[in-house]
Structure formats: structure tokens, C-alpha cells
Amino acid sequence: MMTTADIIRKVRELEIKSRKLSNDLFKGEYHSAFKGRGMSFKEVREYQPGDDIRFIDWNVSARFSHPFSKVFEEERELTVLLLVDVSSSALFGTHAQRKKDVITEVAAVLTFSAINNNDKVGVIFFSDKVEKYVPPRKGRQHALYIVREMLTASPQRKGTRITEAVRYLNNSCKQKSIAFLLSDFLDESYEDALRVASSKHDLIGIKAYDRMDMILPDVGLLEVEDAETGSVAYVDTSSPFVRKEYEEQFHRYNDECKQIFLRAGSDLLHIGTGEDYVKVLQKFFAHRNRR
């Protein structure tokens, strides 16, 4: 259990790290990776060869007996929604970090990147139900509040139900938003809800995983407990067949997640505990900018 002093220190650490990353590495990439809601009128100027004749301002042109064109600019203000998995399975981690720590750091970086771009940010915390909703707002204090909530989240339930969070997104946010879904995706039957959300919002999945989710150590008979259901099982990790089947099952499930997002027309990123998530995010932003 974190003390108040621990929380304040951790919030400050995440703010410094996230603001540095969003200022030094992601400011340009984030700004250009996501498009605004539309175009707004900026000014009129003298007509130039190549201007679209549909944008000629006939009233101004008549007044000055010379053609003038309307100039528009993209509306940059965006609404960013973070859907953050706070289920018990996110507490697992064997490589310097838990999956929850990865999710929290990435969410903090995205929060400060949005705030630095003068965008609104909100959060939907979910387990197998929506645990808490923080409506989108601007400003540093709001960003710090979000980070504190992520660090101190105490869910009432242990399970994971992605459909509940995605449906809540559709119902609570009427305008098109940038939605980041951060989870280990240990769930099923969420494809339909994801497809509906992706048709309305720009939705990006970020899948956190631990090395032991993929590879079992050879340590003999191992007692394992499902963090969400409490069920206990024994696994013979000394068996090469068991270890091979375990790893293949992880890759099959990963491929299934990729296909679900692909069919929904959305992106899915994979970030492991202890991995340099900065490189993953930079690669994603660069890819978005080339589209």
C-alpha cells in the first residue's frame, strides 16, 4: 500500500519523465499523427494561381474588384480518452515491472503529450465493469489528477470485461475521439463492441505483457493461481512439451488479438514489462505520419 508521500513522489517522477518525453520526443510526432475534427475559417487573401475556385469569397472580391480566396486551417483540438485496465491480472510482472506499471507509464506519457498539445484528456478505468470515469479536460492539474488516480486505483472487481469499457466510451463520448485501450487483453468476446467503437473513434490498442506470459521457466512442478478467478492449478514446467505448448498458446492468442483489431480497422501495439516503450510509441507515431 502506497503512503501519501510515496504517491506524491511517484506522481512527480512520472510528471518529470512524461513531460520530458512528450516535449523532447513526441511533440511533433503526436501533433501530426492525429488529425483534428475538421477545417475552420482563418482569413481571406488575394487569389493565387492553383487556389480552388470554390473557396473564392465573392463578396470581398466584388468590393475590391479583385479575386480573393478564403483560407482554412485544421481544427487541432482533440479529445483523448484512455481506457485503462485495472483488473487483477495487470498486477502480474516478473521483469522489473508489473503490467500495471507499464500501462500507467504509457498512459502518463500519452496524457502529457495531449495536454502539451492543448487537447482534452479523460480516463475510463475498468475491470469487469467500469470502475471510474474521469471526464476529458485540459491543463496540468488535470493531468496530475489523472496520474494520481492511475497510481491509486483500487478496483472493486478483479475480472476483465473489455466490452463494458468500450460500450461506455461509445455512450459517454458523442464526438469523435482518440481512444487508447490499455490492457493485457485477457478477455474474449469483445470484437463486436470494438468494431462499433472503431467506426466512431480513432481507437488504438496497447497490449501489455510479461515475459512469463510467453515463456515458462524450467523450475519443476509449479503452483499457479489465476489472479482474477482465484483458481489454482499445477504445471509441470520441467516438461519441454508443456513449455512449448505454453509459448505457442501465447502466440496464438496474440495473433487472435491482432486479427480482431485488424478487422475493426484499428491499430494494436505490444509492450512488454521492462521493454523500452518509447521506441514502440515513436515507431507507431512515425507509422501514422506516413499514412
Side-chain angles (χ1 to χ4, degrees):
M1 186 73 176
M2 296 180 72
T3 65
T4 301
D6 291 334
I7 294 170
I8 293 173
R9 176 181 55 78
K10 189 62 178 177
V11 168
R12 183 58 179 159
E13 287 176 0
L14 280 175
E15 180 190 17
I16 293 171
K17 183 174 183 179
S18 299
R19 288 182 72 91
K20 181 174 177 59
L21 288 173
S22 60
N23 283 329
D24 297 348
L25 300 176
F26 299 142
K27 189 169 185 179
E29 287 87 346
Y30 171 92
H31 183 87
S32 54
F34 303 108
K35 295 181 179 179
R37 291 176 295 174
M39 306 299 290
S40 62
F41 173 75
K42 181 181 180 182
E43 61 185 1
V44 293
R45 60 167 168 75
E46 291 190 33
Y47 177 86
Q48 298 177 3
D51 284 354
D52 194 326
I53 61 172
R54 293 175 299 174
F55 298 143
I56 291 178
D57 190 320
W58 297 107
N59 291 330
V60 175
S61 299
R63 191 180 311 140
F64 291 96
S65 301
H66 187 77
F68 279 78
S69 293
K70 296 178 182 178
V71 177
F72 296 85
E73 64 180 357
E74 184 181 11
E75 292 184 49
R76 278 301 319 172
E77 182 182 298
L78 301 170
T79 297
V80 176
L81 264 297
L82 306 175
L83 286 69
V84 176
D85 182 354
V86 292
S87 65
S88 294
S89 62
L91 298 175
F92 181 72
T94 62
H95 191 78
Q97 290 179 307
R98 301 170 299 172
K99 288 183 278 189
K100 176 185 176 181
D101 300 325
V102 174
I103 289 172
T104 299
E105 285 203 23
V106 173
V109 169
L110 293 172
T111 295
F112 281 104
S113 293
I115 292 298
N116 287 352
N117 199 56
N118 200 34
D119 294 332
K120 297 178 181 178
V121 190
V123 188
I124 299 171
F125 294 97
F126 72 94
S127 55
D128 57 9
K129 70 168 189 171
V130 172
E131 297 277 350
K132 185 169 186 174
Y133 174 53
V134 180
R137 290 179 186 158
K138 298 181 181 182
R140 174 177 175 268
Q141 291 305 315
H142 182 63
L144 293 176
Y145 172 72
I146 287 175
V147 173
R148 283 197 301 272
E149 289 298 302
M150 287 191 289
L151 287 171
T152 60
S154 181
Q156 298 177 9
R157 307 271 273 271
K158 295 183 177 181
T160 305
R161 183 74 173 149
I162 292 171
T163 295
E164 293 296 318
V166 176
R167 285 177 177 168
Y168 193 91
L169 166 69
N170 288 334
N171 293 332
S172 62
C173 193
K174 301 304 180 183
Q175 69 181 44
K176 181 175 181 178
S177 303
I178 311 299
F180 291 93
L181 175 55
L182 301 101
S183 173
D184 56 10
F185 291 94
L186 297 182
D187 189 20
E188 55 188 21
S189 303
Y190 56 87
E191 182 169 359
D192 290 343
L194 195 72
R195 188 183 297 113
V196 173
S198 296
S199 67
K200 180 180 178 182
H201 303 285
D202 188 351
L203 194 150
I204 301 99
I206 298 179
K207 186 178 189 298
Y209 70 93
D210 185 80
R211 179 176 173 80
M212 199 178 284
D213 287 333
M214 178 173 58
I215 299 174
L216 279 175
D218 184 358
V219 292
L221 193 63
L222 188 66
E223 180 182 358
V224 295
E225 179 181 342
D226 188 312
E228 297 190 357
T229 66
S231 62
V232 176
Y234 292 89
V235 181
D236 183 8
T237 64
S238 63
S239 167
F241 173 79
V242 170
R243 295 198 304 273
K244 183 173 183 294
E245 180 62 25
Y246 185 86
E247 184 173 352
E248 289 179 350
Q249 183 177 348
F250 172 83
H251 290 298
R252 283 196 299 270
Y253 188 72
N254 256 11
D255 290 340
E256 182 182 337
C257 285
K258 289 178 185 177
Q259 290 304 313
I260 288 173
F261 274 81
L262 186 63
R263 288 192 291 268
S266 296
D267 295 298
L268 177 63
L269 314 181
H270 294 77
I271 300 177
T273 54
E275 184 179 358
D276 187 355
Y277 61 82
V278 173
K279 292 181 179 178
V280 178
L281 292 177
Q282 281 184 313
K283 184 177 179 181
F284 167 68
F285 288 145
H287 173 70
R288 289 290 295 249
N289 289 330
R290 289 196 297 267
R291 287 184 180 177

